[in-house]
Amino acid sequence: MKQNTRTNLSPKYGPWAVVTGASSGIGRALAVELAAGGLKLVLVARQRGRLEELATELKVAYGTEVRVMVADLSRPEEVEQVVRSTSDLETGLLVAAAGFGTSGEFLSADLSTELEMLDVNCRAVAALSHAFGGRFAARGRGGIILMSSLVGFQGVPRAAHYAATKAYVQTFAEGLQRELAPRGVDVLASAPGPVNSGFAERAGMRMSGAASPEEVARGTVAALGRRGTVRPGLLSMALEAALSPLPRWARTTIMARVMGGMTAHRP
């Protein structure tokens, strides 16, 4: 069993955390970070094999208790199942890391895929935040981590709809943070830039200089309870420093060039 050198999160949020999108990428890295922080975990994703593999790894490494839950969060009834099946647990932390992106011109996109993305990235986030936020407020403590993105701060041609879903998450987290702080609940928007995970492959992008999921996870957990928004990773901070002084139209123009480079290999 690994020696735990991280801050023990259980006294403030524990004992249980629910992590969606836990089978890969940032969600998986966040689950590892939280297990190292002393929390028991409910791991949620669509792929049972990957979840069970991670659960075994976390039990061996950190001696933590883990539950595995297979759910497709594009389906409202399965989102509700996540809520119902955790009602017996003293859950103190929700990490809504499930999500995916698309790229290319919106009018050339498959509409069913775009609407599925809207359901996962926005509808499920709202439903889970409402349910778990209510539980946390009632007990007077808890935390919610929502995955925003650097693209959520302006329009992004060739990723217009994906960027809009992340703008929703960012705005939602900012407002929710102010609403829930007086009730003892921390809300954090994590807004990384390019990340080296399976996201880019599914979205049809090629990224260079991307942060690792582990780097994003460490920065995110470290900011929980201390900030309302964090941009984890050196590249994310550098890009934000360059973009933030500019008007929105200029940021959109620059992001059009960036996204054009990431999708130049596509027809």
Side-chain angles (χ1 to χ4, degrees):
M1 185 181 300
K2 295 180 182 179
Q3 183 179 4
N4 186 359
T5 59
R6 295 172 174 85
T7 301
N8 189 349
L9 300 169
S10 185
K12 185 173 183 179
Y13 299 108
W16 285 88
V18 173
V19 183
T20 71
S23 61
S24 63
I26 296 173
R28 189 185 194 281
L30 281 164
V32 173
E33 195 71 17
L34 296 178
L39 296 181
K40 304 174 184 179
L41 298 173
V42 178
L43 305 178
V44 182
R46 295 183 300 170
Q47 298 174 307
R48 179 178 294 278
R50 288 187 179 182
L51 290 178
E52 291 180 344
E53 179 182 324
L54 177 59
T56 299
E57 178 184 323
L58 296 179
K59 289 174 185 177
V60 171
Y62 302 106
T64 190
E65 187 175 349
V66 182
R67 287 190 185 183
V68 165
M69 186 176 306
V70 178
D72 181 349
L73 299 185
S74 69
R75 300 175 180 271
E77 66 274 14
E78 297 194 28
V79 175
E80 180 56 33
Q81 179 58 32
V82 173
V83 174
R84 289 197 305 269
S85 62
T86 57
S87 60
D88 63 319
L89 302 177
E90 188 181 352
T91 305
L93 186 61
L94 168 68
V95 180
F100 68 95
T102 59
S103 65
E105 294 184 354
F106 179 71
L107 295 184
S108 300
D110 175 66
L111 182 58
S112 64
T113 300
E114 297 296 318
L115 294 178
E116 180 186 359
M117 181 175 65
L118 190 64
D119 285 335
V120 176
N121 292 9
C122 300
R123 181 183 179 122
V125 167
L128 292 171
S129 298
H130 188 272
F132 285 98
R135 293 181 189 176
F136 302 159
R139 67 201 283 264
R141 66 180 180 133
I144 299 173
I145 296 175
L146 304 182
M147 294 308 303
S148 175
S149 170
L150 196 65
V151 303
F153 295 92
Q154 65 283 304
V156 181
R158 295 187 64 80
H161 191 215
Y162 170 66
T165 68
K166 291 305 179 179
Y168 169 87
V169 173
Q170 179 65 39
T171 303
F172 179 49
E174 289 174 2
L176 198 61
Q177 189 268 337
R178 292 296 185 93
E179 288 185 12
L180 294 184
R183 306 181 74 173
V185 182
D186 297 326
V187 180
L188 175 68
S190 178
V195 180
N196 185 19
S197 67
F199 168 86
E201 182 179 356
R202 181 171 185 179
M205 303 176 191
R206 289 179 179 171
M207 299 178 179
S208 60
S212 70
E214 292 74 21
E215 182 182 6
V216 172
R218 287 192 297 270
T220 298
V221 174
L224 182 61
R226 296 177 173 87
R227 302 171 63 181
T229 296
V230 63
R231 296 170 178 85
L234 293 177
L235 180 58
S236 300
M237 290 186 284
L239 287 172
E240 179 59 22
L243 292 171
S244 59
L246 303 177
R248 285 182 70 96
W249 67 265
R251 297 203 305 267
T252 297
T253 299
I254 291 172
M255 291 303 295
R257 295 174 183 170
V258 171
M259 192 56 60
M262 289 182 178
T263 59
H265 63 286
R266 295 177 53 184

